[in-house]
Amino acid sequence: MKTLKFAVLPGDGIGPEVMEVTLNLLSIVGERYGFALDYTEGDVGGIGIDNHGQALPDSTLELCRNADAILFGSVGGPKWESLPPKEQPERAALLPIRKAFSLYANIRPGLLYAELNDASPLKAERIPEGIDIVCIRELTGGIYFGQPKETTTLPSGEKRAIDTMVYTTGEIERIAQVAIDTALTRGKRVCSVDKANVLETSVLWREVVTAYFKKHAPEIELSHMYVDNAAMQLARDPNQFDVLFTENMFGDILSDEMGVICGSLGMLASASLGAEKNTLDLPFGLYEPSGGTAPDIAGQGIANPCAQILSAALMLRYSFGENEAADAIEAAVRKAVTSGTRTGDIAFGLPSVGTKAMGEAVLQQLQA
Ligand code: NAD
């Protein structure tokens, strides 16, 4: 029997609550689809700081290095908010983990079932069929990582801060390939977002993307859009996009906007794929819900586990090649939610259930 070896980093707040439900579900999915789970849990984020003095303890990094994928919860919370910004859980855990595993490709499905239209701030008539798009964001380049990145004091005493936006052809081409691979499994349309009317990096981005698609995927319909327009179009008519494809900072902002128009963060999963292959010759990746630790509801057993469950489905698909099991999980979540079992964040007047009952409803649909 195939064994899936992955690191489990539940993190803080609702992270451990939704992770527990997800792992239970995964083990039953494994029995059905013929794989066993071999996972080890590690501390990350606030609990890493509390137990080891580090948001990303060496022992956690080591167990990730010995795994084929990372299933991540979320990190942070009020307890650690008074720490200096660089030491706060999100920054001190997530950025180094992205760097350590060269997680350059962030894939975020923006999926809103038509039955959950009420969760979206958009008018229902704009999205009668719900929303179904994907955002591909470059994750290890651009202005977040470019050097120099510093604050200096000028001779006048005034301070000056610099961030550097930088991209190479190779960085653009490898993420372009991810956009192509994604589009090929969907509507075969990619909209590349840049700011080529102002930024040098965007001029290069557009040039490289155009040439790469022409050479490697002429069957894909490629369009280009300035980022300010993309932000507007996303709020006006999100389904005009199939695959939205962009660099790091623009992707940070647009994928969050996409999360908002898709309703509850409790439903949104994400995958961050690494440059290295795992022992199965598939991409190493980190899989996590799009939301945070939800301190307002943590500890109450009412968080929506679907984002974590759907993140596990992405892990099965990308890092373990278990496509059938991934499809089955995604279908079961859809059926459970659309047939009326809902946690509070997506209940809208229907009676709501807790985290565990939501997990059980997904399981029932899987076994149906
Ligand atoms: P948040 O995503 O935690 O919460 C925003 C709102 O969404 C809250 O009302 C919350 O209850 C709700 N929500 C989020 N996930 C939910 C779920 N699964 N089920 C039901 N409701 C859910 O964002 P925030 O309040 O801005 O941040 C809280 C903490 O999380 C902060 O410390 C922040 O730094 C951290 N954070 C971590 C990550 C990460 O680990 N990747 C991402 C974002 C925020």
Side-chain angles (χ1 to χ4, degrees):
M1 190 191 261
K2 182 172 166 187
T3 299
L4 316 192
K5 191 165 189 217
F6 56 99
V8 172
L9 313 186
D12 310 310
I14 61 167
E17 301 170 34
V18 293
M19 189 65 86
E20 188 189 338
V21 167
T22 303
L23 292 171
N24 283 341
L25 186 101
L26 267 185
S27 68
I28 293 164
V29 172
E31 282 166 22
R32 185 158 181 175
Y33 288 87
F35 57 78
L37 308 182
D38 172 9
Y39 62 83
T40 313
E41 293 199 24
D43 289 340
V44 72
I47 192 162
I49 296 173
D50 290 354
N51 291 347
H52 312 263
Q54 277 177 303
L56 182 61
D58 295 342
S59 53
T60 299
L61 202 51
E62 193 50 31
L63 81 89
C64 293
R65 287 210 170 95
N66 289 324
D68 284 323
I70 305 169
L71 189 59
F72 195 93
S74 39
V75 294
K79 185 174 175 192
W80 305 279
E81 267 163 18
S82 52
L83 289 171
K86 275 187 186 166
E87 291 169 29
Q88 288 190 18
E90 236 188 303
R91 187 154 163 197
L94 270 174
L95 291 188
I97 220 168
R98 277 180 199 160
K99 207 167 172 187
F101 296 99
S102 304
L103 302 174
Y104 71 96
N106 183 240
I107 304 173
R108 260 211 226 184
L111 188 60
L112 172 73
Y113 312 140
E115 291 83 351
L116 289 186
N117 266 354
D118 282 346
S120 175
L122 298 189
K123 288 188 183 128
E125 62 259 31
R126 284 188 188 264
I127 44 170
E129 310 285 316
I131 299 173
D132 185 2
I133 57 180
V134 178
C135 182
I136 306 289
R137 166 188 170 195
E138 201 291 326
L139 206 57
T140 50
I143 199 163
Y144 291 178
F145 292 95
Q147 293 295 335
K149 185 180 204 51
E150 61 188 13
T151 305
T152 50
T153 305
L154 298 172
S156 63
E158 207 182 354
K159 281 191 167 180
R160 184 177 68 176
I162 299 179
D163 293 292
T164 304
M165 195 164 194
V166 52
Y167 270 107
T168 61
T169 307
E171 283 174 310
I172 301 169
E173 287 181 339
R174 71 175 177 177
I175 190 76
Q177 186 59 52
V178 178
I180 290 170
D181 293 342
T182 307
L184 286 174
T185 65
R186 300 174 44 91
K188 298 193 176 58
R189 289 185 297 117
V190 172
C191 178
S192 171
V193 174
D194 61 40
K195 189 70 182 163
N197 51 345
V198 181
L199 298 174
E200 280 298 309
T201 41
S202 281
V203 172
L204 181 69
W205 180 278
R206 195 175 279 217
E207 240 173 63
V208 172
V209 167
T210 305
Y212 193 85
F213 273 67
K214 195 171 169 194
K215 182 165 176 201
H216 298 278
E219 70 274 37
I220 293 203
E221 185 188 316
L222 173 69
S223 59
H224 302 273
M225 195 178 275
Y226 295 140
V227 63
D228 38 352
N229 188 22
M232 238 165 13
Q233 295 301 330
L234 200 50
R236 210 182 57 83
D237 176 18
N239 288 317
Q240 72 181 275
F241 301 111
D242 176 29
V243 175
L244 198 58
F245 162 51
T246 191
E247 64 88 53
N248 201 346
M249 181 169 61
F250 299 159
D252 189 0
I253 298 164
L254 290 179
S255 61
D256 271 8
E257 183 186 345
M258 186 184 77
V260 170
I261 61 170
C262 285
S264 174
L265 286 168
M267 294 300 298
L268 295 173
S270 86
S272 300
L273 305 186
E276 300 294 323
K277 297 271 196 250
N278 62 21
T279 60
L280 305 167
D281 206 27
L282 289 165
F284 182 90
L286 178 146
Y287 302 86
E288 59 174 333
S290 298
T293 55
D296 52 335
I297 57 166
Q300 298 175 34
I302 57 169
N304 187 345
C306 291
Q308 189 75 63
I309 292 171
L310 292 169
S311 301
L314 293 178
M315 175 177 82
L316 294 183
R317 178 173 297 123
Y318 288 110
S319 285
F320 295 111
E322 292 290 340
N323 294 331
E324 217 184 311
D327 291 346
I329 293 176
E330 286 166 355
V333 169
R334 179 186 280 265
K335 274 198 210 131
V337 168
T338 56
S339 61
T341 308
R342 313 257 179 99
T343 42
D345 55 316
I346 52 170
F348 308 110
L350 291 177
S352 62
V353 302
T355 309
K356 288 198 167 131
M358 188 73 234
E360 273 154 27
V362 175
L363 197 55
Q364 264 176 22
Q365 293 297 343
L366 254 169
Q367 290 167 330

